[in-house]
Amino acid sequence: LKKQPFLEGAVIVLDAASEIGKRYADRAAEMAKTESDAKRKDELLNIAAICNKVPAMPADTFQEALQSYHLAWAMLTMELYHNIAFALGRMDQYLLPYYENDLKEGRLTEEDVQELLDCYLLKLNYVATGNQSTSGSIGVGGYKADGNDATNDLTYMFIESMMHVRMVNPWFAVLIHSKSPDALLIKTAQLTALETGHPQILSADVGVAQMLARGNMGGPMVTLKDARAASNVGCLELAVPGKDSGYLYVGQDNLALYLELALNNGARRSDGMKIGAPTGDPLKFESFEDVRAAFYEQVLHMRKMTQENGDRTEQKLIDEYPMPYESVMIEGCVAKGLCREDGGAHYNFNTGGTEVGSSDAADSLAAIKRLVFDEKKITMEQLCDALDANFEGYEDIRKMCQQVPKFGNDDDYVDEQKAWVVHQWASEFQKLTNLRGGNGCPGGSSMDAYVPAGKIVGALPSGRLSGEPLAPAGSPSTGKDVNGVTAVLNSMGKVDGTEVLAGLSLSSRIDPAVFKSNDGMKRMADMLRTFVDQNIFHLQLNVVSSETLIAAQENPEDHRDLMVKVAGYNAYFTRLGRELQDSIIARTEHGL
């Protein structure tokens, strides 16, 4: 009996979906009647003919496939209960047969296809739900099902379209790996050099490992074929197209706050509120391992709270916001008679959260280890007093804290703390369960939350002052990576990228002058090889100078088209809040 309402709803939404093309066809035909320009009239009549066919019937040509997919995707956004990004998948893969057949039959030229892709990307900036635009994420490149490189003509054409359009949407990713051709890396570097914040770079090698590591956490065992087919959703998290229930954030884990709670017996310094586990008086910690044990207890406590919040969130989705249209697009839902919110999908493992402040926690642990326990330059009591005072009157202690090595500079002393912090969080948050029968996949982008998350965290042993922004996801603490971008990659390579099952974003900034030299693109391509070799999953680069960013703050009307990567997504810089702008300006500007 439970299946009947869902299946009846599925029929209703599929009937509606079959009619949407005709509505556009009728509108295009009506416009053609009054169009005086012969070329535009032919275009409108062609649109009408295509929309009379798709998405109700299967597409046969490239333009039909592109139109069909766009209408199907647009209807997903209409069903949403709140604004979010919907993955468009690896479009260079599933559009390839239509492209090759059209060229063979002489229906389209490469120039025609390039123009269609340009128009399609433009259109993605005009889809809205309510008063908000809805982005989609596109991935290109990666692996074929047989393990060979999947780069093809459309891979390069999509990158070329991103270079033509230069708008904030879609959130565009290039999936590279150990077999990626040099030409793809150079093309990726050329797009990076345009200062648009595009693309984000994902390691398909790590991505496949992440998917396989999910095993049977949410249904059947993940096959190698499905692992290689995975594509980025939202910012960078991976899902299996057409089989996956989708990624649902159930919390954002403030690892810097967890360390603060460990050093304050479960209480926040900002307001004294007891929100963590009672881990004891830090003045009685006899060893560095006592500090790490207290931090681990805070992670356990917060994981339990996240579980409770996640259950409430998911139950609300089941009760109030079932999505029958999306569900019929996912394998398993119709066969089971269940919507994806209720466990109908083939895979149901995508429950998890992301983190902020892991680098702040790691930098702080390194400072405690060196200053309190290894070198015994200060006592735990002195350190806690300095933190309580936000270092006022304790400037000498803050200076010592700042001089301890920081993550992002290829220093094992602190990098091992970062690896440990991420491991404690990721391994515990994999134990989250969802109401669909799956386990947690921690990771992803912190988006812009690293700024407000910092407001509730007091002074830290790293030398950071109370209320300052935290490190976004996997990235170094702002401005602390001073040994170059290669050192950042070397540090990040020591963190287990596979264990963070939904990926961990890494942001950095490159001096635009790099690309003014003759070998700039080659150096960028070489850096991407290093990125792959280090088994890092994600990298996003802002290629924009501090001078340009400051000028945009002072004269926003002159820089309305300036785009930046925030932490997994693109945004127009002048539309961001001042504090978020300042945090981006404060990122270290690296050469190559």
Side-chain angles (χ1 to χ4, degrees), residues 525-546:
D526 290 342
M527 188 198 76
L528 295 180
R529 290 287 184 203
T530 301
F531 162 79
V532 171
D533 291 343
Q534 289 290 355
N535 284 322
I536 303 166
F537 176 62
H538 174 271
L539 177 64
Q540 56 187 24
L541 300 169
N542 279 318
V543 181
V544 58
S545 68
S546 298

Side-chain angles (χ1 to χ4, degrees), residues 17 111 228 429 550:
E111 291 75 16
R228 288 169 174 164
F429 277 73
I550 292 170

Side-chain angles (χ1 to χ4, degrees), residues 460-491:
L460 291 172
S462 62
R464 171 196 164 276
L465 296 176
S466 176
E468 291 183 346
L470 299 174
S475 306
S477 299
T478 303
K480 303 304 181 184
D481 45 331
V482 296
N483 287 344
V485 70
T486 302
V488 173
L489 296 179
N490 287 343
S491 286

Side-chain angles (χ1 to χ4, degrees), residues 37 67 111 119 124 143 162 273 287 359 375 388 428 441 462 464 466 471 522 573:
D37 183 274
Q67 182 67 70
E111 291 75 16
C119 292
L124 291 178
Y143 281 113
M162 292 297 296
M273 184 178 292
S287 68
S359 292
E375 298 180 355
D388 287 338
E428 282 303 320
C441 294
S462 62
R464 171 196 164 276
S466 176
K522 178 62 167 60
F573 181 76

Side-chain angles (χ1 to χ4, degrees), residues 253-270:
D253 307 306
N254 190 331
L255 299 183
L257 177 61
Y258 297 177
L259 181 66
E260 177 178 279
L261 298 176
L263 297 177
N264 208 31
N265 199 17
R268 280 194 306 230
R269 278 199 167 82
S270 59

